[in-house]
Amino acid sequence: MDGEGVTEAVLADWRTAPVREELRAMLGFLEKLTLDPQTVTTADMGPLRAAGLADEAIADAIHVCAAFNVVDRIADSFEFHVPPADEFRRGASGLLKRGYA
């Protein structure tokens, strides 16, 4: 499956998308951190480490997640314009090819 196909699969359902298990573990953790942050504990690090993720990678993902969550909440508060889904898909495909650098 090409990068765009993987993006579509992750957007449809990250739980069944064809991604590496360490990414699947991280996506599950980030979902919990976003939707139910008060329940996140140090015990949530165990599955991430067991999946092969280093503490530095976990911290990096938490920082990116926190930044996106802050921006989302500000955007919601000020009723920012949200582009249509196809624009997000194109952006995600570009990030898969180029990364954030």
Side-chain angles (χ1 to χ4, degrees):
M1 185 175 288
D2 66 4
E4 191 167 324
V6 172
T7 300
E8 293 293 327
V10 170
L11 290 173
D13 185 1
W14 61 264
R15 290 168 189 83
T16 58
V19 296
R20 297 183 324 264
E21 286 308 309
E22 60 265 22
L23 177 57
R24 190 178 323 283
M26 181 57 75
L27 291 171
F29 170 76
L30 294 176
E31 179 179 79
K32 180 177 182 179
L33 183 62
T34 297
L35 300 178
D36 204 13
Q38 67 277 7
T39 66
V40 174
T41 68
T42 56
D44 291 302
M45 299 302 112
L48 299 175
R49 292 175 178 139
L53 291 159
D55 286 353
E56 184 177 344
I58 296 167
D60 286 348
I62 290 170
H63 293 144
V64 171
C65 179
F68 273 90
N69 281 321
V70 167
V71 169
D72 283 348
R73 284 162 178 82
I74 291 169
D76 287 347
S77 296
F78 288 99
E79 298 179 345
F80 288 2
H81 166 73
V82 177
D86 62 319
E87 287 184 38
F88 284 114
R89 284 188 191 90
R90 282 196 303 273
S93 294
L95 287 173
L96 281 172
K97 291 175 188 166
R98 296 183 313 276
Y100 284 93

